[in-house]
Amino acid sequence: MTNRSRIRLFIDQERKWGFPKTFRVGTKIVKSYFFDVPKTIIVEPTSVCNLNCTFCAPSKINLGRKSKFLNYKIFRKMIDDIKKDCWSILFTFCGEPFLNKDIYLMIRYANENGIFTSASSNMTVFKNLKIINNLIDSGLNHLTVSIDGITKKTYELHRVGGNFDLVVGNIRKVVNQKIKKKSITPFLDLQMVVTRQNIDEFAKFSDFAKKVGADGAYLKPLYIDKGMSEDYVKRLEKDLFIERAVTRYLKEGGETKIKKQTPCDFLDKLVISCDGDVFVCCMDYLGKYQFGNIGKENLLDIWRKKKYEKFREEIMKAKKLDICHECVTAISKTLYSK
């Protein structure tokens, strides 16, 4: 999402919220750059997904979550803990966020407390207009639709279990309902993960996004989890990886190797699993590194634990973890944005 688009959304919020609330949000944004508070919180509404995408590692293993779905009361407690400090929440991680029936309540409560909300979705669970209206009425600011193909064949090669026509129809319904409700939110981004299978559709992706009424479109580099089975890694390297500008890797000796180590992107972010556990980053989907639970502790108290602060400064910043070795901050390429 471009800065211009964020500003546009912020102006719309100012019109709806009025000066006092807008001033409070602006203060939180500035505060996040000068004080010890997380800039962005990634929230996992559920670890369950209804698809089995070819490149998705979490869908191939047991994540070990106990609850499967984040409890709304625990989420509200977290918002109450951080509402004076946090300004941005992203609903995503290992499952399809909108499978959690309370997701719309979560988004609404975050927005009521002056928090910018973003979510990602495969858009297959929106079965009727009532659900789509719930999405728009929740106040969600930004929605990324993971589509990975502009034809039925290409889409369903990547999004196993998905229905291309259903997804495209749902995108158009969201666009139409936004128009009827005179709402510019959610800002609707289409995402395509770059693979060998969809390379011929890159050039047409922007036109496709415009045709269905999306607000933006971008390319995202493929991620290959080297901690998975040898069969999984070899299959992705052989069938999906392609050396393009939008990639994390180079091909050396028949293997993929990261182009260049990048600074840790999670020194000012954290992840909350559907169990309420605090994970250090989005690479740690098994929760190997945890520092507390939002149902039992105040999130800011967890963030400011000396042990966690030292971990961020001495371990994460230096990228000393096993999960850091194959981590490169994804540099997406925006093709189109209103």
Side-chain angles (χ1 to χ4, degrees):
M1 186 180 206
T2 65
N3 286 334
R4 184 177 69 174
S5 299
R6 286 181 183 272
I7 292 170
R8 180 186 172 194
L9 286 172
F10 190 80
I11 291 172
D12 180 63
Q13 290 167 347
E14 181 176 6
R15 177 175 59 80
K16 291 187 293 185
W17 289 348
F19 176 76
K21 191 172 181 180
T22 305
F23 178 78
R24 178 159 57 95
V25 175
T27 301
K28 288 196 292 185
I29 294 173
V30 173
K31 186 178 181 181
S32 69
Y33 284 90
F34 293 97
F35 296 92
D36 187 21
V37 296
K39 288 188 177 69
T40 299
I41 297 172
I42 294 177
V43 174
E44 178 184 63
T46 179
S47 60
V48 177
C49 190
N50 57 330
L51 302 186
N52 185 22
C53 301
T54 54
F55 42 71
C56 179
S59 68
K60 311 290 186 291
I61 58 176
N62 179 3
L63 297 171
R65 307 285 196 271
K66 300 182 185 74
S67 302
K68 305 297 183 185
F69 295 91
L70 181 63
N71 182 282
Y72 176 57
K73 289 183 179 179
I74 292 177
F75 176 83
R76 277 185 67 109
K77 175 193 172 297
M78 181 204 72
I79 295 296
D80 292 340
D81 288 345
I82 53 89
K83 62 187 178 185
K84 294 181 180 178
D85 302 283
C86 178
W87 70 275
S88 177
I89 285 180
L90 172 57
F91 294 96
T92 186
F93 201 29
C94 292
E96 165 53 44
F98 292 92
L99 287 174
N100 187 321
K101 61 181 178 59
D102 291 327
I103 182 69
Y104 306 103
L105 294 175
M106 294 178 185
I107 295 168
R108 186 183 295 275
Y109 193 66
N111 276 324
E112 287 173 354
N113 284 281
I115 297 173
F116 184 96
T117 53
S118 183
S120 61
S121 176
N122 58 41
M123 289 295 283
T124 62
V125 298
F126 299 88
K127 302 297 184 182
N128 53 57
L129 277 182
K130 181 180 178 181
I131 298 176
I132 287 173
N133 284 330
N134 285 341
L135 170 70
I136 297 169
D137 294 341
S138 70
L140 182 69
N141 299 103
H142 178 239
L143 178 64
T144 295
V145 179
S146 304
I147 191 163
D148 304 322
I150 63 171
T151 62
K152 183 179 178 67
K153 180 181 178 180
T154 304
Y155 167 86
E156 293 179 4
L157 272 174
H158 296 87
R159 300 260 148 195
V160 179
N163 183 317
F164 179 74
D165 295 329
L166 173 66
V167 171
V168 173
N170 282 338
I171 293 169
R172 287 193 164 115
K173 286 174 184 176
V174 170
V175 172
N176 290 337
Q177 291 306 107
K178 280 173 59 179
I179 293 170
K180 287 182 180 179
K181 290 174 174 291
K182 298 181 179 179
S183 173
I184 67 168
T185 57
F187 185 98
L188 197 59
D189 256 332
L190 302 192
Q191 171 189 286
M192 178 184 282
V193 174
V194 175
T195 76
R196 184 178 300 279
Q197 305 292 346
N198 58 25
I199 184 173
D200 293 333
E201 299 182 2
F202 293 174
K204 300 175 183 177
F205 191 41
S206 180
D207 289 338
F208 172 82
K210 293 174 184 177
K211 183 178 179 180
V212 297
D215 299 304
Y218 66 94
L219 301 177
K220 180 179 178 180
L222 175 72
Y223 170 64
I224 302 173
D225 187 343
K226 298 296 183 71
M228 293 289 287
S229 69
E230 184 177 351
D231 287 345
Y232 167 89
V233 173
K234 294 298 182 185
R235 179 170 55 80
L236 264 62
E237 288 180 336
K238 177 178 179 291
D239 297 338
L240 298 183
F241 172 71
I242 185 167
E243 288 191 74
R244 301 282 294 188
V246 187
T247 182
R248 292 175 164 95
Y249 308 102
L250 294 172
K251 198 90 168 186
E252 289 184 6
E255 295 183 0
T256 53
K257 297 185 178 181
I258 58 172
K259 278 184 172 182
K260 182 181 179 182
Q261 281 282 357
T262 55
C264 180
D265 194 41
F266 269 78
L267 299 178
D268 56 6
K269 302 181 182 73
L270 56 81
V271 177
I272 295 172
S273 77
C274 58
D275 286 330
D277 294 322
V278 176
F279 295 179
V280 297
C281 78
C282 64
M283 298 290 286
D284 186 23
Y285 41 77
L286 291 176
K288 187 174 181 180
Y289 306 99
Q290 298 182 27
F291 283 90
N293 185 285
I294 60 169
K296 301 173 183 176
E297 301 173 79
N298 182 297
L299 179 56
L300 287 182
D301 290 342
I302 296 172
W303 178 256
R304 291 167 180 162
K305 284 180 180 179
K306 294 298 181 183
K307 185 178 179 181
Y308 194 2
E309 288 180 345
K310 186 176 181 180
F311 190 85
R312 291 195 299 271
E313 186 61 30
E314 297 182 6
I315 305 298
M316 293 175 66
K317 193 172 184 178
K319 304 196 79 169
K320 294 181 179 180
L321 301 176
D322 53 344
I323 54 177
C324 298
H325 299 158
E326 292 296 326
C327 175
V328 179
T329 301
I331 302 175
S332 301
K333 180 179 180 180
T334 299
L335 299 178
Y336 153 67
S337 183
K338 284 186 178 178

